[in-house]
Amino acid sequence: MWCFNWLKNLLLTITLVSSLSACVVRPVYKSDNVVAPTVLSNIALSKPTDRFTQIIDNKLVDLLHTASTNKNNKYKLKVTGQYNYRTNLIGTDRMNLDVSAQAISGIVEATGSYVLETNSGRKLASAVVRSATSYDRLEQEYANLKARERATMRVAEDLAEQIYMSLMAWQVKPAKAMSR
């Protein structure tokens, strides 16, 4: 009886090991286009003009894996961004603005744009991206300021990710055209 259990365990182990040895781990997002990362890492970012654009640039440096002011880069990326705040009120009447109206949430709406150029000044790509996020308004003023600040950071990082995805989409198009 013990011999049968031992033989059964041995066959089960051999079957399991042989089935697992046939498995191969491959990257899910394998790309045949090797040109894209090297081109995107050769982008120099222009100097930001304000804090909001600085947040976008910082995220783009992380995404592009580039030194933002390297002199040997082949491309220049000029990024601009602007945002505004909007507040939603409850307890208001369209005809009579009630003094007891309370702001329950705020919205940060942002627009960003970029222009990708060669060092000689030839324009390669440009786009405008938009994003919006909301935040809760609380009774404490400091909590409102921090919530607004975090929402501004979120919307700036979202704009940077949209710019990065737009650059990736632009990069794939020329690489496919060159391979044909």
Side-chain angles (χ1 to χ4, degrees):
M1 189 71 176
W2 67 272
C3 184
F4 179 71
N5 285 338
W6 181 79
L7 185 60
K8 183 175 78 171
N9 288 339
L10 179 66
L11 288 175
L12 183 63
T13 304
I14 290 173
T15 306
L16 183 64
V17 168
S18 65
S19 66
L20 287 178
S21 66
C23 294
V24 177
V25 178
R26 293 187 182 124
V28 176
Y29 299 110
K30 181 180 176 186
S31 174
D32 295 332
N33 184 7
V34 183
V35 178
T38 58
V39 170
L40 291 180
S41 64
N42 281 325
I43 293 176
L45 296 170
S46 62
K47 293 196 182 254
T49 56
D50 59 352
R51 177 168 159 59
F52 187 69
T53 308
Q54 177 69 49
I55 297 168
I56 296 171
D57 282 358
N58 289 345
K59 183 67 175 180
L60 280 172
V61 167
D62 290 341
L63 292 170
L64 294 171
H65 305 294
T66 183
S68 62
T69 57
N70 189 357
K71 302 285 187 217
N72 297 328
N73 291 333
K74 297 177 184 176
Y75 307 101
K76 292 184 283 187
L77 183 67
K78 296 177 184 175
V79 178
T80 58
Q82 56 191 11
Y83 63 95
N84 61 14
Y85 299 113
R86 198 173 48 157
T87 304
N88 292 335
L89 300 174
I90 60 167
T92 60
D93 185 6
R94 290 186 183 262
M95 301 304 274
N96 302 328
L97 288 177
D98 191 2
V99 178
S100 64
Q102 291 181 328
I104 58 165
S105 68
I107 298 174
V108 180
E109 298 172 327
T111 303
S113 62
Y114 75 89
V115 176
L116 180 65
E117 299 176 337
T118 61
N119 281 339
S120 61
R122 188 173 66 116
K123 182 178 169 182
L124 298 174
S126 66
V128 176
V129 293
R130 291 179 176 78
S131 182
T133 188
S134 64
Y135 63 96
D136 292 333
R137 293 188 42 99
L138 305 170
E139 294 179 16
Q140 296 89 7
E141 187 61 30
Y142 181 73
N144 285 335
L145 291 174
K146 291 308 282 183
R148 180 187 281 190
E149 182 181 318
R150 284 191 301 270
T152 305
M153 293 282 285
R154 282 194 314 267
V155 81
E157 289 179 355
D158 185 46
L159 288 178
E161 290 172 0
Q162 288 183 36
I163 290 171
Y164 175 71
M165 295 304 291
S166 178
L167 287 170
M168 287 296 290
W170 168 82
Q171 179 56 41
V172 169
K173 288 178 189 175
K176 283 188 178 177
M178 290 185 331
S179 67
R180 290 182 183 167

